Amino acid sequence: MVPLLILIFSCLIGVSQGQLQVSFYANTCPNAETIVRRVVSEAAASDENTAPVLLRLHFHDCFVQGCDGSILINTGLESDERLAFGHQGVRGFDIIDRAKTQLEAVCPGTVSCADIVALAARDAVVLTNGPLYEVPTGRRDGVVSNIALADNMPDITDSIDILKAKFSEKGLSEKDLVLLSAAHTIGTTACFFMTDRLYKFTAGGGSDTSINPEFLPELKATCPENGDINARLPMDRGSGQTFDKQILQNIRSGFAVLQSDARLYEDAATKNVVDSYFGLLNPFLGPSFESDFASAMVKMGKIGVLTGSEGRIRRVCSAFN
């Protein structure tokens, strides 16, 4: 199975929105968000992949047991959640660790690792020309890290009905599915994830017929059969480093890179969501992609959170206290 990059659920505790609030650390650690923003900016200056890496980390953290920082735990045991097949390729742990170290120096035992992940994802969006939005904080860190809890990750080969069902089970709508999939507007994917779509999609070894015929030779040139499966290509053709709605236009035109993105235009409900951002008077009238994406991110960030006396505040993100 191939993991879908943008997945946002809680595995056991469901959609628990908790008691988060904007500026939760205003009194206890007033420079918390500034510190996280600085660390993210420094990381992005040396690695252009920082933004999509941090977005993906947040999504994968929220998917298993909610947004509780469980994916960060590294005990060295084979049972650690971060080793799950569905989390393969997830990075950014070092960036979160750097932010945590700086926060501990000024506000020891105050800011949760789960909140750092959520704030870093927001800052990553902003760095790529995406919307600036307020992140409700006050999450506490989980006390469980179990690889078995990451078994039910949605997959890029899932049908649209399966994807909608998996989102619905976690309180996420068809609109959320489209918007959070649109996070693929930044970042790259490996040819490993393209092989079946390009060369094994049908019984006779054909390609996915939803791929625009003009685009297919381009994809095959980048990811030739029996070629380097580690070669990478932008998930958003023509705009892989800038946050914008070009990813949705590509989906409409048959230029979606990922199979799961293409499926969004094969279902009436998700197709209508995609098309809603391209009305004749948009963006002057009609929905705003940037505003709706921000709302979907905030909604995702509230899944299964621990607050109040639940969980704990880790002093080191990779270890239980």
Side-chain angles (χ1 to χ4, degrees):
M1 298 289 282
V2 180
L4 178 60
L5 299 182
I6 312 266
L7 305 168
I8 322 106
F9 321 113
S10 67
C11 192
L12 291 180
I13 51 182
V15 185
S16 170
Q17 301 218 342
Q19 301 298 315
L20 305 182
Q21 64 184 69
V22 173
S23 301
F24 179 84
Y25 299 108
N27 296 322
T28 57
C29 192
N31 292 323
E33 296 195 24
T34 299
I35 291 171
V36 174
R37 186 178 305 115
R38 182 176 65 239
V39 171
V40 171
S41 296
E42 291 171 351
S46 59
D47 183 355
E48 64 181 12
N49 293 316
T50 293
V53 161
L54 291 174
L55 260 181
R56 188 182 183 206
L57 179 62
H58 186 32
F59 295 146
H60 280 251
D61 181 39
C62 292
F63 175 74
V64 182
Q65 304 182 91
C67 312
D68 68 346
S70 60
I71 195 173
L72 306 174
I73 292 296
N74 182 15
T75 66
L77 299 176
E78 293 183 358
S79 59
D80 285 347
E81 179 200 322
R82 69 157 69 185
L83 300 179
F85 181 83
H87 291 330
Q88 61 178 321
V90 173
R91 300 188 293 119
F93 305 106
D94 57 325
I95 300 171
I96 304 303
D97 286 342
R98 286 201 295 274
K100 180 61 170 175
T101 297
Q102 294 189 24
L103 287 165
E104 285 297 307
V106 295
C107 310
T110 302
V111 181
S112 71
C113 300
D115 274 344
I116 296 172
V117 172
L119 291 168
R122 184 272 309 276
D123 296 336
V125 170
V126 174
L127 286 175
T128 54
N129 202 39
L132 173 63
Y133 58 93
E134 292 186 313
V135 176
T137 45
R139 298 167 188 80
R140 288 172 65 84
D141 297 320
V143 296
V144 176
S145 175
N146 188 337
I147 191 171
L149 299 178
D151 284 343
N152 194 32
M153 301 282 286
D155 189 283
I156 63 169
T157 61
D158 282 343
S159 69
I160 186 61
D161 288 336
I162 291 175
L163 289 172
K164 290 198 302 179
K166 288 181 176 179
F167 272 63
S168 178
E169 286 170 2
K170 307 304 175 181
L172 296 168
S173 68
E174 292 154 341
K175 184 175 183 178
D176 296 324
L177 170 59
V178 171
L179 289 163
L180 295 169
S181 294
H184 293 149
T185 181
I186 55 174
T188 62
T189 189
C191 288
F192 171 81
F193 300 110
M194 301 298 298
T195 301
D196 286 352
R197 190 177 188 216
L198 295 178
Y199 304 106
K200 302 177 183 178
F201 196 77
T202 63
S207 303
D208 184 350
T209 56
S210 71
I211 301 174
N212 189 306
E214 296 180 12
F215 190 34
L216 185 58
E218 181 180 325
L219 288 174
K220 287 188 171 182
T222 303
C223 300
E225 191 169 16
N226 300 318
D228 181 5
I229 61 173
N230 294 314
R232 304 193 70 83
L233 67 162
M235 292 183 289
D236 186 8
R237 180 179 182 266
S239 183
Q241 295 183 357
T242 302
F243 184 97
D244 55 27
K245 64 179 181 180
Q246 179 63 39
I247 183 71
L248 298 182
Q249 183 57 57
N250 284 339
I251 290 170
R252 299 175 85 211
S253 305
F255 288 88
V257 172
L258 295 178
Q259 180 177 328
S260 57
D261 287 350
R263 299 292 84 86
L264 297 175
Y265 215 59
E266 298 175 359
D267 172 82
T270 51
K271 180 179 183 292
N272 286 338
V273 175
V274 173
D275 287 340
S276 70
Y277 298 104
F278 297 93
L280 291 177
L281 298 179
N282 191 281
F284 304 105
L285 293 176
S288 163
F289 168 64
E290 290 78 9
S291 177
D292 286 353
F293 177 83
S295 296
M297 286 288 289
V298 171
K299 182 178 180 180
M300 178 199 74
K302 294 179 178 179
I303 293 175
V305 296
L306 303 174
T307 59
S309 61
E310 300 172 309
R312 63 185 59 169
I313 303 298
R314 292 188 212 129
R315 302 298 292 267
V316 178
C317 288
S318 62
F320 296 121
N321 290 350

